Amino acid sequence: MGSLPPQILGVPGSTGKIDAGELGHLFLAQRSNLEHFFDHLDLAQAADFAQALLDAPGAVFFSGVGKSGIVAHKLAQTLASLGFARSAFLPPVDALHGDLGAVFPGDLLVLLSKSGASQELLALVPCARAKGARLLSLTSAAEGAGNPLATLCDVNVHLPLQRELCPFGLAPVTSAAIQMMFGDTVIAALMAAWRLTKEKYATNHPAGKIGKSLIFKVKDVMKNKKELPLCKEGDMIMDQLTELTSKGCGCLLVVDEMLHLIGTFTDGDLRRTLKASRAAIFNLTVGEMCNRNPRTISPDAMAVEAMQKMESPPSAVQFLPVVDDHNLVIGIITLHGLVTAGL
């Protein structure tokens, strides 16, 4: 990407105003362009293309120039993120200067070009074929003398283009959109054919919110052992204020001698009890005022399920006791902990 030209002093950055009505007409025109694409796409060609990717014995490379190159790069990254095929973007000029060494016999090379006449891709074709690659192309020009790439490749899919939305009919604001839609739709078909599961998908996205919501379990983010705010039901409320406030959970987990959960007592319960009982609070035990039917969750539940359970009706809560199959307390998960973990 080149550097932006310096702004000329005295010349405003904008000389007009966007009219909502005119913008609406442009969206309608683009809608017509996209409907033309859907109405005229050859599904047999699309299926052959998708099957070639599904049956690929080796890596799948995508290449293109300009905006088609940006789309090719995005599609390569999306396919790679699924984990079923080695996929990468192969810059055509770099390929001609050594990067073609990454291509081996049986690999697929998908070439994106609106015109089918990009010189950089045409120069790459015989070199990639000499390496034993199978060539596929996505083009919008009619096949023939004006679209040599379609003729040179083993498989070509014609992406029907009514016109570019650009007022000059030049900027690829529609052709790039249909390239992206076609490629992403084919990848969605591959996900179904590969029977990709959420769990497999998540293994390739460990750092993002998508992956965390599919990988992290309650036991991965809960507080445990010395971090738990525990007390017995016979303990006096006022004697447990330090435990209530020092563990950062906003609650007490009321347990028996074997650590079975009896109930919970929150800082909200403390305020309500103090307001209702006043001085009598000094004579009340935690067991008398605790909630004996709290929401709980298993350590093996997904962390995102814990967040959903906290936010469910009739009222949201800030924590969930974590208990095993025998109702033994083994931890606590808090809303703050989930947010800190990136969920």
Side-chain angles (χ1 to χ4, degrees), residues 36-49 143 156-160 182:
H36 175 85
F37 165 73
F38 290 123
D39 292 341
H40 294 85
L41 177 65
D42 187 329
L43 291 179
Q45 285 186 351
D48 288 343
F49 178 86
E143 293 188 29
N156 177 71
V157 180
H158 175 67
L159 304 182
F182 177 83

Side-chain angles (χ1 to χ4, degrees), residues 130-154:
K131 293 279 292 186
R134 188 180 183 200
L135 306 180
L136 296 80
S137 60
L138 302 177
T139 62
S140 288
E143 293 188 29
N147 184 357
L149 190 62
T151 303
L152 293 171
C153 289
D154 301 300

